mmCIF file of all heavy atoms in Angstrom:
data_model
loop_
_atom_site.group_PDB
_atom_site.id
_atom_site.type_symbol
_atom_site.label_atom_id
_atom_site.label_comp_id
_atom_site.label_asym_id
_atom_site.label_seq_id
_atom_site.Cartn_x
_atom_site.Cartn_y
_atom_site.Cartn_z
ATOM 1 N N VAL A 439 -31.735 30.656 19.776
ATOM 2 C CA VAL A 439 -30.962 30.150 18.632
ATOM 3 C C VAL A 439 -29.599 29.644 19.097
ATOM 4 O O VAL A 439 -29.135 28.577 18.673
ATOM 5 C CB VAL A 439 -30.790 31.257 17.564
ATOM 6 C CG1 VAL A 439 -29.821 30.804 16.468
ATOM 7 C CG2 VAL A 439 -32.141 31.609 16.948
ATOM 8 N N SER A 440 -28.973 30.391 19.998
ATOM 9 C CA SER A 440 -27.662 29.980 20.510
ATOM 10 C C SER A 440 -27.760 28.670 21.291
ATOM 11 O O SER A 440 -26.866 27.822 21.219
ATOM 12 C CB SER A 440 -27.074 31.074 21.398
ATOM 13 O OG SER A 440 -26.813 32.246 20.664
ATOM 14 N N VAL A 441 -28.840 28.494 22.047
ATOM 15 C CA VAL A 441 -29.030 27.246 22.795
ATOM 16 C C VAL A 441 -29.241 26.072 21.834
ATOM 17 O O VAL A 441 -28.674 24.983 22.015
ATOM 18 C CB VAL A 441 -30.216 27.375 23.770
ATOM 19 C CG1 VAL A 441 -30.616 26.012 24.334
ATOM 20 C CG2 VAL A 441 -29.863 28.325 24.903
ATOM 21 N N ILE A 442 -30.062 26.286 20.798
ATOM 22 C CA ILE A 442 -30.317 25.222 19.824
ATOM 23 C C ILE A 442 -29.010 24.733 19.218
ATOM 24 O O ILE A 442 -28.706 23.534 19.221
ATOM 25 C CB ILE A 442 -31.263 25.718 18.708
ATOM 26 C CG1 ILE A 442 -32.668 25.964 19.252
ATOM 27 C CG2 ILE A 442 -31.309 24.706 17.556
ATOM 28 C CD1 ILE A 442 -33.607 26.630 18.253
ATOM 29 N N TYR A 443 -28.217 25.671 18.736
ATOM 30 C CA TYR A 443 -27.020 25.271 18.001
ATOM 31 C C TYR A 443 -25.822 25.088 18.921
ATOM 32 O O TYR A 443 -24.856 24.415 18.540
ATOM 33 C CB TYR A 443 -26.764 26.268 16.877
ATOM 34 C CG TYR A 443 -27.874 26.198 15.865
ATOM 35 C CD1 TYR A 443 -28.876 27.174 15.833
ATOM 36 C CD2 TYR A 443 -27.972 25.130 14.990
ATOM 37 C CE1 TYR A 443 -29.925 27.082 14.931
ATOM 38 C CE2 TYR A 443 -29.012 25.032 14.090
ATOM 39 C CZ TYR A 443 -29.989 26.008 14.064
ATOM 40 O OH TYR A 443 -31.034 25.906 13.177
ATOM 41 N N GLY A 444 -25.881 25.641 20.136
ATOM 42 C CA GLY A 444 -24.870 25.308 21.125
ATOM 43 C C GLY A 444 -24.970 23.840 21.513
ATOM 44 O O GLY A 444 -23.963 23.130 21.620
ATOM 45 N N THR A 445 -26.200 23.370 21.717
ATOM 46 C CA THR A 445 -26.420 21.945 21.958
ATOM 47 C C THR A 445 -25.981 21.137 20.746
ATOM 48 O O THR A 445 -25.341 20.079 20.874
ATOM 49 C CB THR A 445 -27.910 21.682 22.246
ATOM 50 O OG1 THR A 445 -28.341 22.506 23.331
ATOM 51 C CG2 THR A 445 -28.137 20.217 22.599
ATOM 52 N N ASN A 446 -26.299 21.643 19.564
ATOM 53 C CA ASN A 446 -25.987 20.932 18.330
ATOM 54 C C ASN A 446 -24.491 20.697 18.156
ATOM 55 O O ASN A 446 -24.066 19.605 17.760
ATOM 56 C CB ASN A 446 -26.543 21.712 17.142
ATOM 57 C CG ASN A 446 -26.171 21.106 15.817
ATOM 58 O OD1 ASN A 446 -25.313 21.626 15.101
ATOM 59 N ND2 ASN A 446 -26.804 20.000 15.468
ATOM 60 N N ILE A 447 -23.666 21.701 18.472
ATOM 61 C CA ILE A 447 -22.243 21.535 18.202
ATOM 62 C C ILE A 447 -21.633 20.439 19.077
ATOM 63 O O ILE A 447 -20.772 19.685 18.623
ATOM 64 C CB ILE A 447 -21.462 22.859 18.355
ATOM 65 C CG1 ILE A 447 -21.512 23.391 19.779
ATOM 66 C CG2 ILE A 447 -21.959 23.901 17.379
ATOM 67 C CD1 ILE A 447 -20.653 24.612 20.012
ATOM 68 N N PHE A 448 -22.101 20.306 20.307
ATOM 69 C CA PHE A 448 -21.560 19.252 21.159
ATOM 70 C C PHE A 448 -22.078 17.879 20.745
ATOM 71 O O PHE A 448 -21.339 16.888 20.782
ATOM 72 C CB PHE A 448 -21.876 19.546 22.626
ATOM 73 C CG PHE A 448 -21.098 20.705 23.176
ATOM 74 C CD1 PHE A 448 -21.699 21.928 23.385
ATOM 75 C CD2 PHE A 448 -19.740 20.584 23.442
ATOM 76 C CE1 PHE A 448 -20.979 23.009 23.875
ATOM 77 C CE2 PHE A 448 -19.005 21.654 23.927
ATOM 78 C CZ PHE A 448 -19.629 22.869 24.150
ATOM 79 N N PHE A 449 -23.327 17.816 20.312
ATOM 80 C CA PHE A 449 -23.843 16.531 19.838
ATOM 81 C C PHE A 449 -23.285 16.162 18.471
ATOM 82 O O PHE A 449 -23.279 14.984 18.103
ATOM 83 C CB PHE A 449 -25.377 16.536 19.844
ATOM 84 C CG PHE A 449 -25.960 16.174 21.173
ATOM 85 C CD1 PHE A 449 -26.177 17.138 22.147
ATOM 86 C CD2 PHE A 449 -26.264 14.856 21.468
ATOM 87 C CE1 PHE A 449 -26.691 16.806 23.385
ATOM 88 C CE2 PHE A 449 -26.786 14.500 22.711
ATOM 89 C CZ PHE A 449 -27.000 15.482 23.680
ATOM 90 N N ASN A 450 -22.808 17.162 17.714
ATOM 91 C CA ASN A 450 -22.076 16.826 16.486
ATOM 92 C C ASN A 450 -20.880 15.941 16.821
ATOM 93 O O ASN A 450 -20.588 14.968 16.117
ATOM 94 C CB ASN A 450 -21.582 18.101 15.793
ATOM 95 C CG ASN A 450 -22.686 18.827 15.050
ATOM 96 O OD1 ASN A 450 -23.703 18.245 14.703
ATOM 97 N ND2 ASN A 450 -22.487 20.115 14.814
ATOM 98 N N LEU A 451 -20.163 16.290 17.892
ATOM 99 C CA LEU A 451 -19.027 15.475 18.318
ATOM 100 C C LEU A 451 -19.489 14.136 18.860
ATOM 101 O O LEU A 451 -18.918 13.085 18.546
ATOM 102 C CB LEU A 451 -18.229 16.219 19.388
ATOM 103 C CG LEU A 451 -17.470 17.465 18.958
ATOM 104 C CD1 LEU A 451 -16.723 18.050 20.152
ATOM 105 C CD2 LEU A 451 -16.492 17.139 17.847
ATOM 106 N N ILE A 452 -20.507 14.159 19.696
ATOM 107 C CA ILE A 452 -20.994 12.915 20.315
ATOM 108 C C ILE A 452 -21.445 11.919 19.259
ATOM 109 O O ILE A 452 -21.033 10.748 19.262
ATOM 110 C CB ILE A 452 -22.143 13.226 21.303
ATOM 111 C CG1 ILE A 452 -21.604 14.008 22.510
ATOM 112 C CG2 ILE A 452 -22.824 11.940 21.756
ATOM 113 C CD1 ILE A 452 -22.686 14.550 23.419
ATOM 114 N N PHE A 453 -22.288 12.373 18.326
ATOM 115 C CA PHE A 453 -22.785 11.457 17.302
ATOM 116 C C PHE A 453 -21.705 11.117 16.280
ATOM 117 O O PHE A 453 -21.719 10.041 15.689
ATOM 118 C CB PHE A 453 -24.017 12.039 16.614
ATOM 119 C CG PHE A 453 -25.264 11.975 17.452
ATOM 120 C CD1 PHE A 453 -26.058 13.097 17.632
ATOM 121 C CD2 PHE A 453 -25.642 10.804 18.059
ATOM 122 C CE1 PHE A 453 -27.207 13.046 18.404
ATOM 123 C CE2 PHE A 453 -26.789 10.735 18.841
ATOM 124 C CZ PHE A 453 -27.567 11.855 19.020
ATOM 125 N N GLY A 454 -20.765 12.060 16.046
ATOM 126 C CA GLY A 454 -19.674 11.754 15.138
ATOM 127 C C GLY A 454 -18.834 10.597 15.649
ATOM 128 O O GLY A 454 -18.538 9.644 14.921
ATOM 129 N N VAL A 455 -18.460 10.665 16.922
ATOM 130 C CA VAL A 455 -17.652 9.592 17.522
ATOM 131 C C VAL A 455 -18.480 8.325 17.687
ATOM 132 O O VAL A 455 -18.035 7.214 17.362
ATOM 133 C CB VAL A 455 -17.081 10.055 18.878
ATOM 134 C CG1 VAL A 455 -16.380 8.898 19.590
ATOM 135 C CG2 VAL A 455 -16.121 11.220 18.680
ATOM 136 N N ALA A 456 -19.719 8.472 18.193
ATOM 137 C CA ALA A 456 -20.555 7.298 18.443
ATOM 138 C C ALA A 456 -20.897 6.557 17.150
ATOM 139 O O ALA A 456 -20.981 5.323 17.139
ATOM 140 C CB ALA A 456 -21.837 7.717 19.159
ATOM 141 N N SER A 457 -21.081 7.303 16.052
ATOM 142 C CA SER A 457 -21.477 6.659 14.800
ATOM 143 C C SER A 457 -20.392 5.748 14.251
ATOM 144 O O SER A 457 -20.685 4.792 13.532
ATOM 145 C CB SER A 457 -21.833 7.722 13.757
ATOM 146 O OG SER A 457 -20.688 8.474 13.364
ATOM 147 N N ASP A 458 -19.119 6.033 14.570
ATOM 148 C CA ASP A 458 -18.041 5.139 14.151
ATOM 149 C C ASP A 458 -18.150 3.789 14.846
ATOM 150 O O ASP A 458 -17.592 2.795 14.376
ATOM 151 C CB ASP A 458 -16.673 5.763 14.469
ATOM 152 C CG ASP A 458 -16.327 6.914 13.535
ATOM 153 O OD1 ASP A 458 -16.819 6.922 12.394
ATOM 154 O OD2 ASP A 458 -15.552 7.806 13.943
ATOM 155 N N LYS A 459 -18.869 3.739 15.963
ATOM 156 C CA LYS A 459 -19.004 2.505 16.736
ATOM 157 C C LYS A 459 -20.348 1.815 16.509
ATOM 158 O O LYS A 459 -20.406 0.588 16.357
ATOM 159 C CB LYS A 459 -18.814 2.800 18.229
ATOM 160 C CG LYS A 459 -17.456 3.423 18.551
ATOM 161 C CD LYS A 459 -17.298 3.669 20.043
ATOM 162 C CE LYS A 459 -15.968 4.344 20.353
ATOM 163 N NZ LYS A 459 -14.796 3.553 19.928
ATOM 164 N N ILE A 460 -21.444 2.589 16.476
ATOM 165 C CA ILE A 460 -22.764 1.963 16.360
ATOM 166 C C ILE A 460 -23.271 1.917 14.919
ATOM 167 O O ILE A 460 -24.290 1.285 14.656
ATOM 168 C CB ILE A 460 -23.805 2.684 17.245
ATOM 169 C CG1 ILE A 460 -24.067 4.105 16.741
ATOM 170 C CG2 ILE A 460 -23.359 2.690 18.685
ATOM 171 C CD1 ILE A 460 -25.135 4.845 17.539
ATOM 172 N N GLY A 461 -22.573 2.576 14.007
ATOM 173 C CA GLY A 461 -22.966 2.549 12.595
ATOM 174 C C GLY A 461 -23.490 3.892 12.127
ATOM 175 O O GLY A 461 -24.315 4.515 12.804
ATOM 176 N N TRP A 462 -22.980 4.338 10.966
ATOM 177 C CA TRP A 462 -23.405 5.624 10.413
ATOM 178 C C TRP A 462 -24.886 5.610 10.047
ATOM 179 O O TRP A 462 -25.625 6.536 10.360
ATOM 180 C CB TRP A 462 -22.555 5.958 9.183
ATOM 181 C CG TRP A 462 -21.091 6.091 9.467
ATOM 182 C CD1 TRP A 462 -20.509 6.443 10.659
ATOM 183 C CD2 TRP A 462 -20.008 5.884 8.553
ATOM 184 N NE1 TRP A 462 -19.145 6.472 10.539
ATOM 185 C CE2 TRP A 462 -18.801 6.140 9.265
ATOM 186 C CE3 TRP A 462 -19.931 5.520 7.216
ATOM 187 C CZ2 TRP A 462 -17.552 6.032 8.666
ATOM 188 C CZ3 TRP A 462 -18.675 5.414 6.618
ATOM 189 C CH2 TRP A 462 -17.506 5.660 7.331
ATOM 190 N N GLN A 463 -25.307 4.556 9.369
ATOM 191 C CA GLN A 463 -26.697 4.483 8.906
ATOM 192 C C GLN A 463 -27.669 4.470 10.072
ATOM 193 O O GLN A 463 -28.692 5.163 10.064
ATOM 194 C CB GLN A 463 -26.878 3.230 8.047
ATOM 195 C CG GLN A 463 -28.273 3.088 7.441
ATOM 196 C CD GLN A 463 -28.490 1.704 6.846
ATOM 197 O OE1 GLN A 463 -28.147 0.696 7.459
ATOM 198 N NE2 GLN A 463 -29.048 1.657 5.654
ATOM 199 N N ARG A 464 -27.370 3.672 11.084
ATOM 200 C CA ARG A 464 -28.262 3.559 12.241
ATOM 201 C C ARG A 464 -28.378 4.902 12.980
ATOM 202 O O ARG A 464 -29.461 5.296 13.419
ATOM 203 C CB ARG A 464 -27.739 2.480 13.184
ATOM 204 C CG ARG A 464 -28.679 2.171 14.348
ATOM 205 C CD ARG A 464 -28.142 1.037 15.225
ATOM 206 N NE ARG A 464 -28.117 -0.213 14.483
ATOM 207 C CZ ARG A 464 -27.004 -0.862 14.149
ATOM 208 N NH1 ARG A 464 -25.822 -0.365 14.478
ATOM 209 N NH2 ARG A 464 -27.063 -2.001 13.486
ATOM 210 N N THR A 465 -27.260 5.614 13.095
ATOM 211 C CA THR A 465 -27.278 6.910 13.774
ATOM 212 C C THR A 465 -28.164 7.906 13.031
ATOM 213 O O THR A 465 -28.956 8.636 13.644
ATOM 214 C CB THR A 465 -25.848 7.464 13.876
ATOM 215 O OG1 THR A 465 -25.021 6.541 14.588
ATOM 216 C CG2 THR A 465 -25.827 8.803 14.607
ATOM 217 N N ILE A 466 -28.018 7.957 11.709
ATOM 218 C CA ILE A 466 -28.813 8.890 10.911
ATOM 219 C C ILE A 466 -30.301 8.580 11.024
ATOM 220 O O ILE A 466 -31.129 9.490 11.190
ATOM 221 C CB ILE A 466 -28.377 8.838 9.434
ATOM 222 C CG1 ILE A 466 -26.930 9.323 9.282
ATOM 223 C CG2 ILE A 466 -29.301 9.687 8.556
ATOM 224 C CD1 ILE A 466 -26.315 9.007 7.935
ATOM 225 N N PHE A 467 -30.652 7.286 10.958
ATOM 226 C CA PHE A 467 -32.066 6.893 10.965
ATOM 227 C C PHE A 467 -32.753 7.274 12.275
ATOM 228 O O PHE A 467 -33.768 7.986 12.270
ATOM 229 C CB PHE A 467 -32.185 5.381 10.729
ATOM 230 C CG PHE A 467 -33.608 4.883 10.757
ATOM 231 C CD1 PHE A 467 -34.401 4.940 9.620
ATOM 232 C CD2 PHE A 467 -34.157 4.371 11.928
ATOM 233 C CE1 PHE A 467 -35.722 4.484 9.646
ATOM 234 C CE2 PHE A 467 -35.466 3.918 11.968
ATOM 235 C CZ PHE A 467 -36.255 3.971 10.816
#
Side-chain angles (χ1 to χ4, degrees):
V439 172
S440 296
V441 168
I442 291 172
Y443 294 103
T445 305
N446 175 254
I447 63 174
F448 289 105
F449 275 87
N450 283 339
L451 292 181
I452 292 171
F453 285 130
V455 173
S457 67
D458 287 333
K459 301 181 182 300
I460 66 177
W462 299 334
Q463 183 192 45
R464 186 177 294 114
T465 302
I466 296 167
F467 178 85

